[in-house]
């Protein structure tokens, strides 16, 4: 028994060591990626199904590695959010977005660019100052920046967060609630944060056509809650025309999903 438990303890120690080493190298790779500006945007169009026109997009982060490979967010964002690295990465992302918009100049109708933020972005006014200088400089032309925050992550001080958000609202930057219906914050965020738009999560959109499913009741509840609260609605993860038709019947016309387009690299989105 002694030998077995010794072996077991050694094995566990080894695993912990491996895990620490792995996560240390993840950290240094991300830090390096920040220096090298490797966190780049893909743009997923958001379409008004009534006109079929693109009215804006969501900015989705990808990690463009030195070897040319592209890493999807689920492989590094949870780590980056957990370790407090996401704020610096968002800064890099925004630099690329601003460059892309600059190149686009006046070629397109007015679009919004919806950027994902985390509660930490509201802890101080760094992001606000950055975006204020961008807005003041006029480099956005006819376009505008919008923010989205997920219901998944808790905001510890709603009053302080609202104070910061009001500064954004004053310069024409609104806030959308992401992953609506999946987290805990929903009602209190809507009541306290001055949210403009609810984004219905794919999880609920997936239930369309399966009306016996419990979540199918949830999507109707989310839609009617948003409508009664005077919020705009964007449905996300919409993959087929049956879903578009259902949403349309329920008064939801702003659609983001593969039915119209996957997230696109700048070159394709700004063609
Ligand atoms: P999210 O914010 O909910 O973004 C929507 C995700 O759904 C995107 O995945 C998008 O590609 C995917 N999607 C959109 N339409 C469809 C569809 O019709 N079918 C399917 N199967 N998927 C669809 P992506 O780009 O892999 O991003 C995953 C998550 O990573 C995002 O979920 C968000 O939570 C996080 N993320 C991405 N970029 C950023 C960022 O810049 N900052 C932060 N904090 N998180 C980010
Ligand atoms: Ca989002
Ligand atoms: Ca979302
Ligand atoms: Ca989601």
């Amino acid at each position: 028994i002694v030998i077995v438990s010794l072996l077991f303890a050694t094995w566990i120690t080894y695993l912990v060591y491996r895990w620490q080493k792995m996560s240390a190298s993840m950290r240094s790779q991300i830090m390096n990626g920040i220096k090298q500006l490797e966190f780049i945007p893909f743009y997923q169009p958001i379409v008004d199904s009534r006109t079929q026109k693109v009215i804006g997009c969501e900015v989705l982060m990808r990690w463009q590695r030195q070897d040319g490979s592209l890493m999807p967010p689920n492989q590094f964002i949870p780590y980056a959010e957990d370790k407090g690295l996401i704020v610096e990465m968002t800064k890099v992302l925004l630099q690329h977005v601003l460059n892309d918009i600059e190149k686009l100049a006046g070629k397109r109708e007015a679009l919004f660019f919806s950027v994902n933020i985390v509660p930490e972005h509201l802890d101080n006014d760094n992001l606000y100052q950055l975006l204020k200088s961008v807005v003041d400089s006029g480099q956005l032309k006819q376009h505008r920046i919008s923010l989205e925050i997920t219901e998944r992550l808790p905001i510890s001080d709603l009053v302080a967060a609202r104070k910061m958000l009001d500064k954004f609202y004053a310069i024409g930057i609104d806030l959308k609630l992401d992953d609506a219906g999946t987290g805990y914050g929903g009602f209190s965020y809507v009541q306290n944060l001055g949210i403009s738009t609810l984004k219905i999560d794919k999880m609920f959109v997936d239930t369309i056509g399966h009306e016996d499913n419990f979540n199918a009741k949830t999507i109707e509840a989310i839609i009617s809650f948003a409508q009664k609260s005077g919020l705009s609605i964007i449905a996300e993860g919409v993959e087929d025309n049956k879903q578009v038709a259902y949403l349309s019947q329920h008064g939801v016309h702003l659609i983001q999903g593969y039915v119209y387009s996957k997230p696109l690299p700048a070159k394709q989105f700004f063609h």
Side-chain angles (χ1 to χ4, degrees):
I1 286 177
V2 172
I3 289 176
V4 167
S5 29
L6 264 175
L7 276 174
F8 185 69
T10 315
W11 179 63
I12 293 289
T13 315
Y14 173 72
L15 282 185
V16 168
Y17 166 80
R18 278 278 305 269
W19 181 80
Q20 281 176 345
K21 232 186 127 169
M22 239 174 67
S23 89
S25 81
M26 181 68 156
R27 184 182 189 87
S28 66
Q29 283 178 51
I30 288 181
M31 304 282 271
N32 191 52
I34 291 171
K35 274 195 224 117
Q36 307 293 327
L37 310 182
E38 290 173 5
F39 300 101
I40 63 159
F42 268 42
Y43 300 91
Q44 186 173 30
I46 296 171
V47 174
D48 186 327
S49 63
R50 290 164 296 191
T51 59
Q52 305 280 312
K53 278 203 172 140
V54 178
I55 56 162
C57 63
E58 178 171 2
V59 175
L60 292 157
M61 192 184 285
R62 301 288 182 267
W63 188 355
Q64 173 109 65
R65 310 297 297 270
Q66 300 282 322
D67 61 9
S69 65
L70 214 55
M71 198 190 271
N74 62 346
Q75 289 177 27
F76 63 94
I77 294 236
Y79 179 89
E81 285 181 348
D82 191 47
K83 304 293 178 199
L85 296 164
I86 190 71
V87 169
E88 283 304 306
M89 292 155 70
T90 307
K91 230 162 117 186
V92 171
L93 184 76
L94 273 168
Q95 277 184 46
H96 288 293
V97 172
L98 295 171
N99 267 330
D100 290 342
I101 293 180
E102 192 93 71
K103 277 186 268 167
L104 174 74
K107 273 195 290 189
R108 287 272 282 267
E109 284 173 61
L111 300 173
F112 65 82
F113 291 78
S114 199
V115 175
N116 291 281
I117 61 164
V118 294
E120 259 181 279
H121 278 114
L122 303 175
D123 286 350
N124 56 54
D125 71 355
N126 294 347
L127 179 67
Y128 167 73
Q129 292 298 346
L130 173 73
L131 291 179
K132 180 168 185 346
S133 71
V134 167
V135 169
D136 288 346
S137 73
Q139 67 188 111
L140 288 177
K141 305 279 188 321
Q142 71 273 40
H143 308 300
R144 65 189 177 82
I145 300 285
S146 172
L147 303 174
E148 50 187 79
I149 197 159
T150 175
E151 214 183 278
R152 276 186 298 111
L153 300 172
I155 295 177
S156 53
D157 187 343
L158 286 172
V159 175
R162 177 58 188 264
K163 264 193 166 161
M164 186 57 64
L165 286 166
D166 280 337
K167 295 171 138 201
F168 287 100
Y169 301 156
I171 59 170
I173 296 176
D174 71 326
L175 181 69
K176 300 180 170 62
L177 183 64
D178 202 2
D179 306 323
T182 67
Y184 305 98
F187 289 105
S188 66
Y189 286 12
V190 169
Q191 277 164 7
N192 294 293
L193 296 181
I195 306 269
S196 72
T197 307
L198 287 194
K199 293 192 79 172
I200 303 176
D201 195 70
K202 178 172 186 300
M203 173 183 154
F204 300 112
V205 172
D206 283 344
T207 65
I208 295 172
H210 306 270
E211 264 71 42
D212 47 334
N213 186 309
F214 179 75
N215 284 336
K217 305 215 171 25
T218 314
I219 190 171
E220 284 188 22
I222 295 172
I223 293 170
S224 90
F225 170 69
Q227 286 165 342
K228 284 178 183 143
S229 314
L231 303 170
S232 304
I233 308 172
I234 295 174
E236 195 174 62
V238 181
E239 294 187 340
D240 61 52
N241 286 316
K242 215 181 70 200
Q243 293 168 337
V244 175
Y246 172 98
L247 289 161
S248 195
Q249 274 160 26
H250 288 77
V252 178
H253 307 290
L254 307 186
I255 307 289
Q256 175 182 352
Y258 294 177
V259 67
Y260 290 117
S261 173
K262 292 195 171 184
L264 304 170
K267 270 210 183 101
Q268 279 176 48
F269 181 71
F270 292 107
H271 60 265

